[in-house]
PDB file of all heavy atoms in Angstrom:
ATOM      1  N   GLU A  17       4.134 142.514-121.950  1.00  0.00           N
ATOM      2  CA  GLU A  17       3.939 142.481-123.389  1.00  0.00           C
ATOM      3  C   GLU A  17       5.318 142.345-124.084  1.00  0.00           C
ATOM      4  O   GLU A  17       5.582 141.559-124.981  1.00  0.00           O
ATOM      5  CB  GLU A  17       3.218 143.473-123.980  1.00  0.00           C
ATOM      6  CG  GLU A  17       1.716 143.650-123.319  1.00  0.00           C
ATOM      7  CD  GLU A  17       0.829 142.533-123.732  1.00  0.00           C
ATOM      8  OE1 GLU A  17       1.018 141.657-124.536  1.00  0.00           O
ATOM      9  OE2 GLU A  17      -0.229 142.533-123.232  1.00  0.00           O
ATOM     10  N   GLU A  50       2.804 140.902-130.195  1.00  0.00           N
ATOM     11  CA  GLU A  50       3.037 141.400-128.723  1.00  0.00           C
ATOM     12  C   GLU A  50       3.705 142.700-128.650  1.00  0.00           C
ATOM     13  O   GLU A  50       3.398 143.496-127.665  1.00  0.00           O
ATOM     14  CB  GLU A  50       3.932 140.266-128.049  1.00  0.00           C
ATOM     15  CG  GLU A  50       3.350 138.872-127.999  1.00  0.00           C
ATOM     16  CD  GLU A  50       2.061 138.830-127.164  1.00  0.00           C
ATOM     17  OE1 GLU A  50       1.510 139.796-126.675  1.00  0.00           O
ATOM     18  OE2 GLU A  50       1.410 137.605-127.329  1.00  0.00           O
ATOM     19  N   HIS A  53       0.988 145.081-128.912  1.00  0.00           N
ATOM     20  CA  HIS A  53       0.212 145.174-127.627  1.00  0.00           C
ATOM     21  C   HIS A  53       0.960 146.044-126.693  1.00  0.00           C
ATOM     22  O   HIS A  53       0.376 146.963-125.988  1.00  0.00           O
ATOM     23  CB  HIS A  53       0.247 143.803-126.899  1.00  0.00           C
ATOM     24  CG  HIS A  53      -0.596 142.705-127.716  1.00  0.00           C
ATOM     25  ND1 HIS A  53      -0.793 141.491-127.371  1.00  0.00           N
ATOM     26  CD2 HIS A  53      -1.350 142.897-128.855  1.00  0.00           C
ATOM     27  CE1 HIS A  53      -1.479 140.853-128.194  1.00  0.00           C
ATOM     28  NE2 HIS A  53      -1.884 141.646-129.165  1.00  0.00           N
ATOM     29  N   GLU A  94       0.335 132.609-121.985  1.00  0.00           N
ATOM     30  CA  GLU A  94      -0.908 133.442-122.418  1.00  0.00           C
ATOM     31  C   GLU A  94      -1.913 133.431-121.243  1.00  0.00           C
ATOM     32  O   GLU A  94      -2.533 134.360-120.992  1.00  0.00           O
ATOM     33  CB  GLU A  94      -1.382 132.839-123.630  1.00  0.00           C
ATOM     34  CG  GLU A  94      -0.608 133.158-124.948  1.00  0.00           C
ATOM     35  CD  GLU A  94      -0.492 134.685-125.158  1.00  0.00           C
ATOM     36  OE1 GLU A  94      -1.418 135.536-124.705  1.00  0.00           O
ATOM     37  OE2 GLU A  94       0.485 135.026-125.841  1.00  0.00           O
ATOM     38  N   ILE A  97      -0.824 135.896-118.662  1.00  0.00           N
ATOM     39  CA  ILE A  97      -1.210 137.209-119.318  1.00  0.00           C
ATOM     40  C   ILE A  97      -2.629 137.555-119.125  1.00  0.00           C
ATOM     41  O   ILE A  97      -3.085 138.646-118.728  1.00  0.00           O
ATOM     42  CB  ILE A  97      -0.768 137.407-120.744  1.00  0.00           C
ATOM     43  CG1 ILE A  97       0.762 137.320-120.917  1.00  0.00           C
ATOM     44  CG2 ILE A  97      -1.267 138.769-121.328  1.00  0.00           C
ATOM     45  CD1 ILE A  97       1.560 138.422-120.539  1.00  0.00           C
ATOM     46  N   GLN A 127      -7.033 138.248-125.722  1.00  0.00           N
ATOM     47  CA  GLN A 127      -6.574 137.088-124.785  1.00  0.00           C
ATOM     48  C   GLN A 127      -7.488 135.868-125.169  1.00  0.00           C
ATOM     49  O   GLN A 127      -6.977 134.710-125.127  1.00  0.00           O
ATOM     50  CB  GLN A 127      -6.627 137.417-123.365  1.00  0.00           C
ATOM     51  CG  GLN A 127      -5.368 138.249-122.997  1.00  0.00           C
ATOM     52  CD  GLN A 127      -4.097 137.708-123.525  1.00  0.00           C
ATOM     53  OE1 GLN A 127      -3.385 138.377-124.247  1.00  0.00           O
ATOM     54  NE2 GLN A 127      -3.636 136.436-123.179  1.00  0.00           N
ATOM     55  N   GLU A 130      -6.101 134.447-128.352  1.00  0.00           N
ATOM     56  CA  GLU A 130      -4.689 133.909-128.160  1.00  0.00           C
ATOM     57  C   GLU A 130      -4.614 132.685-127.353  1.00  0.00           C
ATOM     58  O   GLU A 130      -3.879 131.868-127.561  1.00  0.00           O
ATOM     59  CB  GLU A 130      -3.728 134.903-127.477  1.00  0.00           C
ATOM     60  CG  GLU A 130      -3.583 136.191-128.534  1.00  0.00           C
ATOM     61  CD  GLU A 130      -2.317 136.910-128.261  1.00  0.00           C
ATOM     62  OE1 GLU A 130      -1.586 136.727-127.223  1.00  0.00           O
ATOM     63  OE2 GLU A 130      -1.955 137.721-129.147  1.00  0.00           O
TER      64      GLU A 130
HETATM   65 FE1  FEO B 201      -0.226 140.267-125.474  1.00  0.00          FE
HETATM   66 FE2  FEO B 201      -0.362 137.350-125.999  1.00  0.00          FE
HETATM   67  O1  FEO B 201      -0.560 138.693-124.939  1.00  0.00           O
END
Side-chain angles (χ1 to χ4, degrees):
E17 301 289 356
E50 299 299 352
H53 297 176
E94 286 302 333
I97 296 287
Q127 281 315 117
E130 293 204 349

